[in-house]
Amino acid sequence: MSGAARDEGGVPAAHSGGLRTLLRLEGAALLAAATLAYAWGGWSWYLYLGLFFVPDLSMLAYMAGPRIGALAYNLLHATVAPLMLGCLGLAAPEGPWMPIAAIWLAHIGLDRMLGYGLKSSAGFGHTHLGPIGRRERPA
């Protein structure tokens, strides 16, 4: 096992300081670029609003436990799948692939901008961008 810094629960420590800020700015840029691409495509804003939070349905998988929840969440919140979908849209422009990919990437950008990173199997609050949610404070 590497000598990387770990938090009190043994989870690898997240990025902090300037690097965390840079990662959040990267999320903001992804949100802006994907939304601008969507606008440029001239697609329906009702579709955008209707699908924007669909990836968050993956959080329901946490009912099966943190490991399965993290896997489902990460599958729908990593940029790989929507980028591949966008490539499919380039190959088959008559399909719905490009607008869906743009919406999906915009959602991921918003989450990253807000500090909601990819999840660790240690629990929903452990992300690659740092801890989220309420933390118990020492007495």
Side-chain angles (χ1 to χ4, degrees), residues 62-85:
Y62 275 93
M63 291 190 290
R67 185 172 177 191
I68 292 173
L71 176 65
Y73 185 93
N74 291 343
L75 284 173
L76 291 180
H77 286 84
T79 57
V80 175
L83 288 173
M84 290 175 60
L85 191 62

Side-chain angles (χ1 to χ4, degrees), residues 36-65:
L36 287 172
Y38 191 86
W40 182 76
W43 298 300
S44 166
W45 289 103
Y46 293 112
L47 181 66
Y48 187 92
L49 294 173
L51 295 181
F52 192 82
F53 290 105
V54 166
D56 284 339
L57 293 175
S58 63
M59 288 187 280
L60 295 173
Y62 275 93
M63 291 190 290

